[in-house]
């Protein structure tokens, strides 16, 4: 099927042509088109152009109007205010454009990028042998949505789950396991919850011995050296911790209704073989220097307390490599081997200084060039209802699984209230409850701009009123029920010859803007823009539904055309929510 040019883009092109013929030196200038309450669009670009050409803006605007070719697209263009243009498009243009979208299946007429790049997204990166926390949830949810949007534009995306699977704490864990071999059951014999509780137990027990017993501490330290030098027995035991943790990670991702691919779990340890070379290249090129035995990189603009420079540590005094060395090696891999043109890191905003230093170092070393962008999409902290960082009443971090279970439970109660009326079976209630609960958690996260903190408030999240996923899911299900009700008696058919009511026009123009919006949100790494678009779509649909009878319309054609608007709204909601990783049950 064929991609469709949006009405906005078409109007923009007409105005730009007229502008150029009225004022040739303005060739290619942007008419600055915005949706408006006065008319369908307002163009604000003429003021600045007139100023530049020392012309009277209202006169220039009048000349532009005279040059416009309206065709079937424009119903009316008038000069307003100091030199704005108010533009109204024809009903026919709206319906015909939407019909072309409707004929294009799931893509809804949205084109694929002609020259897609490759974006590597670093997201969903928990740590081995540690409980996942709400921060990891944000990274997973935001990264997955970002990826959905980018994929939809045709960009090639590669996921990298940079899990914390390396470091000195493994010396302690492995040594403990050697001395207490039965504390960890084989990974294929446990479920996610058991895996985590076993890991927790080993972690706590080994920590206790480590703190109390100097001899054990020494054995643990030797174990780190054995691990780093690739000792087989040690590596095998390390692998057990990784495997056991993965059982747990996958169980959480499954609860989150999120697909994570094993070949994209590429943790810190995967870059071990590159670290020494990374350090050597940085030292030889002079990007990194030796300072008190360590290999470090300095920055003019990064200073800590007492105005002392804060360096990035590539290699520690004892020869060990840490977090920065693995991130620098990962950049080499992602740019030179995976041929990334964009790198995104969905990581807590509190790590933004780390990424600033890592990116700057990679630029100096030539691993990041002007052709490659690198961006830390830093997300804010999840707060409890009290506005403080999210903790249990006992002050412990909240277990992710408990949280998702509770969301599903609350949502199931909401779904159950209407279940009888809608005719849901018990299985459907449970399944929908899960999708509504997870959707609520994801949407609450995605609907605020990522860098802001947000309050985790389950009551608000599963509320049927307001900017929640449940509201959107209900809007979708309501439309599906109307379409089912229409059944065989009336089908969705576009009728471009029909006049449209104001609510139909508003809904139609918004539907048409879907593709442009997804491109914009993807380019700006802003899933919250897609969330806001969908919320507005549902609101415009509600107004339409209040004002325009569908099954009881005046004529058969009008019923068909309104069913057509219903159908396209449902499909756009479904697709938009899917890009955000949220399901839309058929009956709710
Ligand atoms: N595992 C880290 C954490 O839990 C996040 C890793 C982020 N990614 C990266 N390339 N450094 O804080």
């Amino acid at each position: 099927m064929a991609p469709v040019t949006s009405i906005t883009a078409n109007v923009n092109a007409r105005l730009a042509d007229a502008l150029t013929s009225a004022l040739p030196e303005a060739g290619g200038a942007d008419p600055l088109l915005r949706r408006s309450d006065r008319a369908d669009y307002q163009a604000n670009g003429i003021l600045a152009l007139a100023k530049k050409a020392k012309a009277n803006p209202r006169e220039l605007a009048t000349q532009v109007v005279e040059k416009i070719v309206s065709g079937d697209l424009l119903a009316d263009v008038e000069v307003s205010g100091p030199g704005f243009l108010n533009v109204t498009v024809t009903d026919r243009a709206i319906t015909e454009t939407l019909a072309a979208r409707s004929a294009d299946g799931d893509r809804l007429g949205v084109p694929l990028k002609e020259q897609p790049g490759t974006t590597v997204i670093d997201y969903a990166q928990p740590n081995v042998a540690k409980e996942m926390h709400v921060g990891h949830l944000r990274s997973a949810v935001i990264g997955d949505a970002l990826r959905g949007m980018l994929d939809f534009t045709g960009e090639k995306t590669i996921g990298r789950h940079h899990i914390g699977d390396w470091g000195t704490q493994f010396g302690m864990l492995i040594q403990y396991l050697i001395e207490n071999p039965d504390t960890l059951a084989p990974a294929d014999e446990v479920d996610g919850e058991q895996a985590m509780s076993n890991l927790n137990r080993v972690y706590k027990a080994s920590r206790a011995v480590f703190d109390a017993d100097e001899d054990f501490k020494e054995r643990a330290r030797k174990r780190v050296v054995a691990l780093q030098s690739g000792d087989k027995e040690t590596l095998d035991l390390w692998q057990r911790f990784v495997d056991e943790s993965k059982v747990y990670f996958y169980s959480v991702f499954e609860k989150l209704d999120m697909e994570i691919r094993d070949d994209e779990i590429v943790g810190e340890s995967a870059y071990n073989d590159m670290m020494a070379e990374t350090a050597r290249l940085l030292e030889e090129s002079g990007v990194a220097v030796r300072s008190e035995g360590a290999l470090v990189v300095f920055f003019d603009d990064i200073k800590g307390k007492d105005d002392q420079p804060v360096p990035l540590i590539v290699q520690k005094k004892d020869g060990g490599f840490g977090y920065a060395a693995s991130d620098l090696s990962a950049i080499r891999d992602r740019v030179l081997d995976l041929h990334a043109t964009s790198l995104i890191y969905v990581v807590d905003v509190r790590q933004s200084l780390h990424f600033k230093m890592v990116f700057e170092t990679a630029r100096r070393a030539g691993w990041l060039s002007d052709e490659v962008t690198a961006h830390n999409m830093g997300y804010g902290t999840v707060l409890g209802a009290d506005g403080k960082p999210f903790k249990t009443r006992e002050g412990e971090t909240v277990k992710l699984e408990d949280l998702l279970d509770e969301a599903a439970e609350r949502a199931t109660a909401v779904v159950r209230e209407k279940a009888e009326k809608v005719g849901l079976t018990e299985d459907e209630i449970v399944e929908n409850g899960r999708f509504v609960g997870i959707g609520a958690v994801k949407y609450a996260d995605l609907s605020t701009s990522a860098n802001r903190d947000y309050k985790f408030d389950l009551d608000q999240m599963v509320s049927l009123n307001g900017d929640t996923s449940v509201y959107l899911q209900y809007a979708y299900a309501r439309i599906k029920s109307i379409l089912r009700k229409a059944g065989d008696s009336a089908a969705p058919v576009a009728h471009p010859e029909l006049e449209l009511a104001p609510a139909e026009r508003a809904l139609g123009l918004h539907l048409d803007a879907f593709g442009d919006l997804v491109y914009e949100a993807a380019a700006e790494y802003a899933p919250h823009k897609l969330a806001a678009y969908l919320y507005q779509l549902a609101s415009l649909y509600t107004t339409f539904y209040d004002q325009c009878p569908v099954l009881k319309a005046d004529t058969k054609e009008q019923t068909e055309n309104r069913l057509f608007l219903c159908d396209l709204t449902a499909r756009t909601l479904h697709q938009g929510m899917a890009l955000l990783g949220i399901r839309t049950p058929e009956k709710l």
Side-chain angles (χ1 to χ4, degrees):
M1 286 290 180
V4 178
T5 308
S6 69
I7 294 173
T8 313
N10 278 327
V11 172
N12 213 49
R14 294 284 168 95
L15 293 188
D17 284 351
L19 248 173
T20 311
S21 73
L23 188 71
E25 67 249 50
D30 188 349
L32 293 181
L33 210 58
R34 298 273 171 280
R35 287 299 304 282
S36 145
D37 294 335
R38 301 278 195 83
D40 294 333
Y41 298 97
Q42 187 166 71
N44 301 335
I46 291 174
L47 292 179
L49 284 171
K51 211 171 175 189
K52 235 169 122 191
K54 300 211 182 353
N56 175 317
R58 262 194 88 91
E59 262 163 41
L60 178 58
T62 312
Q63 285 162 18
V64 172
V65 173
E66 279 160 15
K67 301 282 186 195
I68 287 177
V69 182
S70 43
D72 282 343
L73 177 64
L74 303 175
D76 187 36
V77 184
E78 62 175 27
V79 179
S80 103
F84 303 133
L85 294 183
N86 284 342
V87 184
T88 307
V89 299
T90 62
D91 292 332
R92 172 174 290 277
I94 295 177
T95 308
E96 275 177 352
T97 310
L98 295 182
R101 295 199 176 285
S102 175
D104 190 39
D106 290 346
R107 290 214 54 86
L108 302 162
V110 182
L112 292 166
K113 274 187 194 172
E114 269 161 33
Q115 284 167 321
T118 299
T119 298
V120 175
I121 311 186
D122 189 313
Y123 71 107
Q125 328 94 327
N127 300 316
V128 164
K130 292 217 182 93
E131 196 99 46
M132 286 172 78
H133 54 69
V134 278
H136 294 126
L137 174 83
R138 288 210 79 183
S139 175
V141 170
I142 296 168
D144 188 57
L146 212 50
R147 196 170 183 185
M149 300 192 310
L150 285 165
D151 281 338
F152 191 66
T153 65
E155 177 82 357
K156 179 181 174 197
T157 63
I158 300 173
R160 280 292 175 267
H161 308 292
H162 198 87
I163 59 170
D165 61 358
W166 205 248
T168 46
Q169 76 275 22
F170 284 99
M172 170 184 98
L173 290 168
I174 295 166
Q175 189 58 34
Y176 184 85
L177 192 58
I178 290 174
E179 296 172 20
N180 306 273
D182 296 330
T183 43
L184 213 54
D188 55 6
E189 284 174 18
V190 287
D191 65 18
E193 219 162 305
Q194 292 162 337
M196 192 62 241
S197 92
N198 288 345
L199 287 165
N200 258 339
R201 194 156 26 86
V202 174
Y203 199 95
K204 282 194 185 134
S206 63
R207 181 92 240 171
V209 194
F210 186 87
D211 288 340
D213 180 346
E214 281 303 319
D215 291 343
F216 179 79
K217 205 179 235 171
E218 181 53 23
R219 292 198 295 279
R221 208 189 52 75
K222 287 208 177 106
R223 193 50 63 185
V224 177
V225 179
L227 180 65
Q228 281 170 345
S229 59
D231 170 65
K232 172 96 171 59
E233 186 206 0
T234 309
L235 270 180
D236 285 348
L237 290 168
W238 166 80
Q239 189 65 49
R240 282 190 59 189
F241 281 100
V242 175
D243 291 345
E244 192 100 352
S245 297
K246 278 195 189 175
V247 173
Y248 162 69
F249 297 157
Y250 277 120
S251 75
V252 176
F253 290 130
E254 168 144 359
K255 271 212 172 135
L256 260 181
D257 190 25
M258 188 179 291
E259 211 180 311
I260 295 288
R261 284 168 41 183
D262 209 42
D263 61 338
E264 293 188 338
I265 299 186
V266 183
E268 289 174 37
S269 69
Y271 304 98
N272 278 342
D273 292 347
M274 298 175 71
M275 310 269 226
E277 197 183 22
T278 298
R280 182 175 61 76
L281 292 170
L282 289 172
E283 187 167 12
E284 280 174 9
S285 60
V287 172
V289 292
R290 289 279 161 195
S291 168
E292 292 166 36
L295 185 65
V296 302
V297 182
F298 286 106
F299 309 88
D300 289 341
D301 57 341
I302 301 176
K303 302 237 165 68
K305 282 186 214 126
D306 314 328
D307 227 26
Q308 288 296 312
V310 179
L312 181 72
I313 300 170
V314 178
Q315 189 178 20
K316 285 178 280 187
K317 207 163 47 201
D318 66 5
F321 297 108
Y323 196 48
S326 88
D327 263 327
L328 286 164
S329 303
I331 289 186
R332 291 174 57 211
D333 180 54
R334 293 171 192 185
V335 176
L336 304 174
D337 296 331
L338 300 177
H339 306 291
T341 48
S342 304
L343 304 175
I344 308 178
Y345 295 78
V346 189
V347 184
D348 195 314
V349 72
R350 282 170 287 198
Q351 291 190 35
S352 62
L353 184 61
H354 164 77
F355 284 107
K356 189 176 173 205
M357 297 197 280
V358 165
F359 296 161
E360 174 63 23
T361 301
R363 293 227 177 261
R364 290 185 196 170
W367 300 326
L368 281 176
S369 67
D370 289 346
E371 277 83 67
V372 186
T373 61
H375 180 70
N376 168 211
M377 191 170 166
Y379 52 79
T381 307
V382 181
L383 307 174
D386 57 1
K388 302 212 183 93
F390 198 50
K391 294 267 158 70
T392 61
R393 236 166 266 157
E394 292 74 36
E396 287 183 31
T397 37
V398 181
K399 283 199 175 69
L400 262 192
E401 298 197 279
D402 293 352
L403 199 146
L404 296 172
D405 287 343
E406 193 180 340
E409 217 171 279
R410 301 253 194 129
T412 307
V414 173
V415 171
R416 196 178 293 282
E417 274 171 38
K418 302 203 178 189
E420 207 174 323
K421 216 171 107 202
V422 192
L424 293 181
T425 66
E426 183 57 30
D427 283 352
E428 286 170 330
I429 294 176
V430 172
E431 187 181 75
N432 286 356
R434 194 176 151 238
F435 291 150
V436 170
I438 294 161
V441 172
K442 288 186 180 178
Y443 188 86
D445 193 328
L446 294 169
S447 56
T448 29
S449 107
N451 58 359
R452 304 217 336 236
D453 295 348
Y454 87 94
K455 266 191 196 165
F456 196 95
D457 180 352
L458 272 180
D459 289 330
Q460 195 275 325
M461 283 179 197
V462 298
S463 150
L464 298 177
N465 301 311
D467 189 4
T468 62
S469 66
V470 203
Y471 173 73
L472 298 176
Q473 286 166 321
Y474 268 109
Y476 176 81
R478 208 156 15 111
I479 305 175
K480 289 307 254 189
S481 120
I482 294 165
L483 291 167
R484 274 194 304 271
K485 229 183 192 167
D488 300 331
S489 63
V493 182
H495 288 283
E497 73 283 1
L498 288 185
E499 229 176 78
L500 298 176
E504 293 175 298
R505 294 175 56 82
L507 175 63
L509 285 170
H510 195 67
L511 282 169
D512 182 53
F514 177 65
D516 290 348
L517 185 284
V518 173
Y519 265 79
E520 181 187 323
E524 293 176 18
Y525 304 151
H528 71 280
K529 287 200 168 177
L530 177 54
Y533 169 90
L534 295 170
Y535 179 57
Q536 206 192 342
L537 179 58
S539 310
L540 288 170
Y541 178 81
T542 305
T543 310
F544 155 80
Y545 190 67
D546 285 345
Q547 296 179 3
C548 306
V550 177
L551 299 178
K552 295 199 173 95
D554 292 340
T555 64
K556 175 163 175 276
E557 287 73 24
Q558 199 164 51
T559 292
E560 289 181 342
N561 200 57
R562 286 180 178 167
L563 283 172
F564 159 75
L565 284 173
C566 289
D567 177 65
L568 193 61
T569 303
R571 284 161 58 195
T572 306
L573 272 174
H574 170 83
Q575 183 59 272
M577 294 285 266
L579 298 186
L580 295 179
I582 302 174
R583 307 258 192 169
T584 38
E586 296 294 301
K587 285 188 194 173
L588 211 55

